[in-house]
Each structure stands twice: as structure tokens, then as C-alpha cells.
Amino acid sequence: MVQTLDRPTVEEARRHPPPPQKPLQPHPHYTLGSLAVIGVLVGIVGVGLAIGSLWITASRNSVDDGLVADKVDSLLADVQLETGLEAGTSIIPELTPVAQLSLAPATEINTAYAPEMPPPSGRTTQAIIDVHFEVVENVVTIDPNTGTEYETWGYRMNGDSNVVAGTPGPVIRGRVGDVFRFTLTNPPGNTHPHNVDFHAVTGQGGGAADLVVAPGETKTIEGRLLYPGFFMYHCAYDDVPLHISHGMYGGILVDPAEPLPEVEREFYMVQSEFYTDGEGPGLVETDRQAITDEDPSYVVFNGAVGALAGDNALKMSVGETARIYFVNAGLNLDSNFHPIGSHWDAVYQEAALINPPLRGSQTTLVPAGGGTVVELIGQVPQTIVLVDHALARTFDKGALGLITIEGDVNPEIFSAATPVPAPDPGPEAPPAGGPTVSIRPGSGDLQPMDAPDEFSADEDPADYSANILRIKVGETVTWTQDDPQALHTITAVDGSFDSGFLYPDDSWSYTFDEVGEFEYFCTPHPWMRAKVVVEA
């Protein structure tokens, strides 16, 4: 059993300060502290050797294992190793009694919608933070690219009828030691009971047991925020996987007593999954078996495909530091959170903010139901691509976000070498008569394989200006690369010709000397298929 020494309280220390110490005199030999350190190290080595010998001896049948175990415990008890916390201490702060607490100042903001964060409170004392949410049940668009609509359930600030998609729910910000007074209303027009389980709250079900609200009901809890960190909250009613997969989740930040260093930007991100029975356009339903099979149709950031892209991209400037508070709501998959084109300058693993951060990470693992807090620095102007580096989730299922960094270039960090131009060969001779096929803009965008209209003249979307081209033997076909967004190839299925990579505005020609049907495709975009039919 580890014993702790009684220490005077802060008030006793003030009343009875220790006597003044004589200044230390310089000494040319080893200090007593140095000798003590050496002694401890020698002791540890000795104990290790003794323990090893005892365990070896214990493997023999002639020695009582219990005696050896007692001796090992005795040896270990004699060795004190330095740790970050003294024995018997806790990271839970000394709590101000609830009766002595006041509401947080009216100017303090405790909630915000993604991707925004409420500003730090600046408080140095504990308080009561009062938050009121209401449940949202609405049909919303979860993939603007396909027009896929889905009935999401979620949370919004009470009375905020402008918010129709409550997924992810608002982020909540408090301070360690605060009393979190939370009220949940389920409006009469909804059709399902709901609740909230706060991973930051110590109490039955994280408060969920006392927050079950049927349509038309309102309930309130008060929970003490004991541990600093960034935590998930979610609905934990009835078929919990179903409620979470419909979008009922969010994050709650508990700032440590000593705040994290200030940064220029703070963002709130949630990764989550939708399990649908197809894609739009139009309304799709939940595939409950896919939830059990852990096979999501969509993996997204902040509730929808494109929620952090285009006009919704996050923004920062060169020289600024951004801190991202990230929750992986799951339901099922771990997240492999990575910034393409940058690094995590700091990672507070598992969002445990009282611990020192990991520095200089490339990808951090965030388990389902967990969180992390990461920081990156705007080193050069670019667009950082935020992904789950299980990249099929990004390329095929939507887990993509962007951070646009603006500012001056810095060739000390990054520059693109300027190629030496090749000698000008003079004007290129035009192809020797024959048709031209254009590679259409946008043809590199993901499409289904083997679409029924792949070789139709009215294919939608069209990959080439001609899907079936009929020519005579000896004619030359020229392909022009008119897609500014991608590189393409003209590659014969039977291997008889291959253009290599064609950059935007490139062209390539091939003369067909044999009768036959020649199907071709693009190597990086294999859904781009067409045919040349050569006749006598």
C-alpha cells in the first residue's frame, strides 16, 4: 500500500511559512542530489537483478511461488520512481461547492455550430454553464453531388428554427470543475423519443437515463465536468446504433484549468457514417443490416459530403496556427485523421488535454466514440486536404475536408522546380486526315463501372465526344485532352496501343491499319470506355 505524507494546506502555509533557508555554498565535488540519483539508479539495477534471480528460482518446483511473489513486492516497495503526478494525487480539481457557484457571465458563449468553436471563456473560477438543446428530425441532402436525401435526427440550440439539419449537434464549451446544466426538449412534431449520453459527464449513462424525452417533453440534468478533454455526446435511446447512424452526435470541450496556448484559429469537426439502401437523387432509407455489418454507404465530415469543401472550406493564413477539435462519432469505424500536404504540429492524443502533446505526427488514430485535438501551422499557401487515410472512405464515400491557406510563398519550405523548356521543333504537322475525339471535361469524376449507356451516343455524363467511332482502314484518329482537371490515357483493351499520360491540352494520334473493333479505356479512370470500329 502506498502512503502519502500529510502536507500543510495553502492557508496553513501562509500562516506558518517555513524558516528562511541559508543560501547554498558552491562545492567543487558532486552534490548530494547527484549522489542520490546515482544511488537510486544503482538500487534499481540491483532490484532488477534480484527480481530476475527470484523469478528464475521460482520456476523450479522446490521453491514456493508465494514466497517469491512476497519478496518481489517487498523489493519494489523500496524503490520510488519519479512520475508526472505524486502518489495519491488526482487530475480532478478541488471542487467549489455547487451552492457557492454562480451562472457563467452572460457574455460567455458556450455553444456554436460546426465548424465554428465558442471562444475560450477566460474564467479562472468554476461556474454553472446553462445549455438548452432541442431535437431535430428532418429530411436533408447528405450528398449534393447525387442529390441523395436522408432523414437525419440531431440536435440544435433551442428555438433555432433556421437549422434544419442537427448533425453534427452544436459543440459545447465549458471549464473543468464547472457544473453543466443541460436541458433537452423534444418538440411535439417529432415522432421518436431521444436522449443524450455525454462522455464528459459522470452519472448514469452520462446523463442519458434522466434525459429520455418523448415528443412534447423537456428534461434537465446537472453534471460536474470533472476531467479536461474533448468528448463525444450522442443519443443512447433504444436502438442506439440506429439513433447514432441517423446523426445524433456532437462534441463537448472541457478546457483545463490552465488553458491551452492561444492559437489564431479553432475549428470543430466530426467524422461519422451513414448507412443507406442506395443513393439519390431523392430520399433513401436506412439499411439496418449494413449497420450491423459495419458497411457504411457514406463516411463524412460534419454531416454531409462537401460540408468542408468548396465555399465551405476552412480558411487560415500563412503563419497562423489552427487547432481542430475532432470527434469520431462512428458509428463503427476508427478514423485515420491525416492532413495531406501538412503535418500535425501537435496532437493531444485521445483529446486528453492535461497531457503533453505528441509533436510532428503525420496521421493520428481516433477510435469510434473518441476524440483528438490537433494543431497545424500554415507554412505555405496551399489547400490542405483533410482525410481519413483509409482512403476509400475519402475517394468513394465522402470523408474529405479542405483548409485553404492564403499568404506569401516561402521557397525555403516549398517551391516547384521550373523545367528547362525543350527546343521548339516548329509547328506540328497535322494528322493525316481523319476524325478527332475529344476527352470531355469532368470525365475523370467518379462514375459507376459498366453503366448501361457506356457506349451510347447520349451517355450521361459523356466521357468522349464519340463513344463508338467508325472509320476505314488506314485512317488516323486524333484524341484531344480537353479535361482540365485530370490526366488521362488512351489505352487499348487488347494492348495494341497506349498513349501514355495526356495532360490537359495534349493530343495523341493513332493510325488503324487493321479491320476490327478496338475498345479502349483510361487507365486511372477505367469507367471511361469507348470503341473504334475499323471497316474495310
Side-chain angles (χ1 to χ4, degrees):
M1 175 177 176
V2 179
Q3 296 182 339
T4 58
L5 296 177
D6 292 331
R7 288 181 169 77
T9 65
V10 173
E11 186 60 32
E12 291 172 342
R14 287 175 179 167
R15 293 178 181 173
H16 306 289
Q21 302 294 316
K22 293 181 180 181
L24 296 176
Q25 300 298 320
H27 198 282
H29 301 292
Y30 291 115
T31 65
L32 183 58
S34 300
L35 293 173
V37 170
I38 294 172
V40 169
L41 293 174
V42 171
I44 292 173
V45 172
V47 170
L49 292 173
I51 292 173
S53 299
L54 285 168
W55 284 119
I56 292 172
T57 305
S59 64
R60 300 174 183 173
N61 295 331
S62 60
V63 178
D64 186 343
D65 289 351
L67 293 175
V68 174
D70 290 342
K71 184 61 177 176
V72 169
D73 291 341
S74 174
L75 288 168
L76 290 176
D78 292 335
V79 179
Q80 299 293 326
L81 299 178
E82 287 262 340
T83 62
L85 294 171
E86 296 181 8
T89 62
S90 170
I91 66 170
I92 298 175
E94 183 177 346
L95 300 178
T96 304
V98 175
Q100 299 177 18
L101 295 180
S102 301
L103 281 172
T107 55
E108 181 173 317
I109 301 173
N110 299 114
T111 56
Y113 290 113
E116 305 298 327
M117 284 292 299
S121 69
R123 278 189 288 115
T124 58
T125 57
Q126 298 167 21
I128 300 171
I129 63 170
D130 196 351
V131 175
H132 190 170
F133 281 1
E134 69 179 16
V135 174
V136 188
E137 295 179 359
N138 268 326
V139 172
V140 300
T141 300
I142 61 171
D143 185 356
N145 298 324
T146 60
T148 303
E149 297 177 343
Y150 185 63
E151 182 184 351
T152 61
W153 308 336
Y155 309 97
R156 65 186 175 195
M157 298 175 204
N158 187 53
D160 191 355
S161 59
N162 293 323
V163 174
V164 297
T167 177
V171 64
I172 302 165
R173 188 167 197 164
R175 182 183 180 276
V176 68
D178 284 351
V179 168
F180 174 46
R181 179 184 296 159
F182 178 77
T183 301
L184 181 65
T185 294
N186 194 352
N190 287 343
T191 57
H192 303 276
H194 301 285
N195 63 14
V196 189
D197 169 1
F198 290 97
H199 290 192
V201 168
T202 299
Q204 186 62 50
D210 297 298
L211 283 172
V212 176
V213 283
E217 291 185 335
T218 295
K219 291 187 179 177
T220 300
I221 63 165
E222 288 189 353
R224 206 67 182 247
L225 302 179
L226 300 179
Y227 291 89
F230 190 49
F231 302 91
M232 179 184 175
Y233 68 79
H234 60 88
C235 184
Y237 178 77
D238 193 35
D239 186 347
V240 179
L242 182 66
H243 282 245
I244 294 177
S245 67
H246 268 280
M248 304 197 78
Y249 40 72
I252 175 169
L253 171 62
V254 182
D255 281 316
E258 182 177 340
L260 299 184
E262 290 187 11
V263 294
E264 288 79 12
R265 309 277 181 170
E266 290 189 319
F267 301 118
Y268 165 44
M269 285 183 63
V270 179
Q271 178 170 324
S272 60
E273 303 146 21
F274 289 119
Y275 296 80
T276 66
D277 62 358
E279 64 177 30
L283 181 65
V284 295
E285 301 295 331
T286 301
D287 184 341
R288 188 59 182 81
Q289 185 60 46
I291 296 176
T292 301
D293 295 340
E294 304 184 7
D295 184 18
S297 314
Y298 294 91
V299 181
V300 298
F301 294 145
N302 285 5
V305 175
L308 292 175
D311 294 338
N312 300 319
L314 307 177
K315 293 177 174 58
M316 60 186 296
S317 298
V318 169
E320 290 184 334
T321 299
R323 180 177 293 138
I324 300 174
Y325 297 90
F326 182 91
V327 158
N328 178 18
L331 171 69
N332 291 310
L333 306 179
D334 292 345
S335 174
N336 312 277
F337 194 32
H338 172 73
I340 295 177
S342 189
H343 305 77
W344 300 131
D345 185 73
V347 176
Y348 292 87
Q349 292 175 297
E350 300 190 24
L353 300 180
I354 204 167
N355 298 290
L358 184 71
R359 303 302 301 271
S361 168
Q362 59 183 319
T363 301
T364 189
L365 183 66
V366 189
T372 190
V373 176
V374 295
E375 296 174 4
L376 53 79
I377 299 173
Q379 302 281 13
V380 293
Q382 62 163 318
T383 297
I384 294 175
V385 183
L386 303 173
V387 300
D388 182 332
H389 214 288
L391 286 175
R393 302 172 190 171
T394 293
F395 283 85
D396 299 342
K397 300 190 176 185
L400 181 144
L402 304 177
I403 301 180
T404 301
I405 302 177
E406 297 180 344
D408 296 331
V409 298
N410 185 350
E412 296 293 334
I413 293 179
F414 181 83
S415 64
T418 303
V420 177
D424 185 1
E428 182 178 347
T436 298
V437 177
S438 169
I439 301 175
R440 307 301 292 272
S443 54
D445 296 344
L446 181 64
Q447 300 174 29
M449 294 291 293
D450 300 318
D453 63 351
E454 191 64 46
F455 299 104
S456 171
D458 56 356
E459 180 191 12
D460 184 24
D463 302 323
Y464 306 95
S465 58
N467 278 338
I468 298 181
L469 179 67
R470 296 184 180 276
I471 63 171
K472 300 296 184 181
V473 171
E475 284 193 278
T476 299
V477 179
T478 299
W479 285 265
T480 60
Q481 215 291 54
D482 299 318
D483 181 5
Q485 302 298 324
L487 275 64
H488 295 288
T489 71
I490 305 297
T491 304
V493 171
D494 64 4
S496 57
F497 54 85
D498 188 354
S499 65
F501 283 108
L502 299 176
Y503 287 80
D505 298 326
D506 281 355
S507 62
W508 182 76
S509 300
Y510 182 78
T511 301
F512 290 84
D513 294 324
E514 297 180 9
V515 172
E517 186 174 289
F518 299 88
E519 182 180 335
Y520 62 91
F521 68 103
C522 173
T523 303
H525 311 105
W527 55 84
M528 296 175 56
R529 298 167 57 199
K531 295 178 182 178
V532 176
V533 178
V534 183
E535 301 170 339

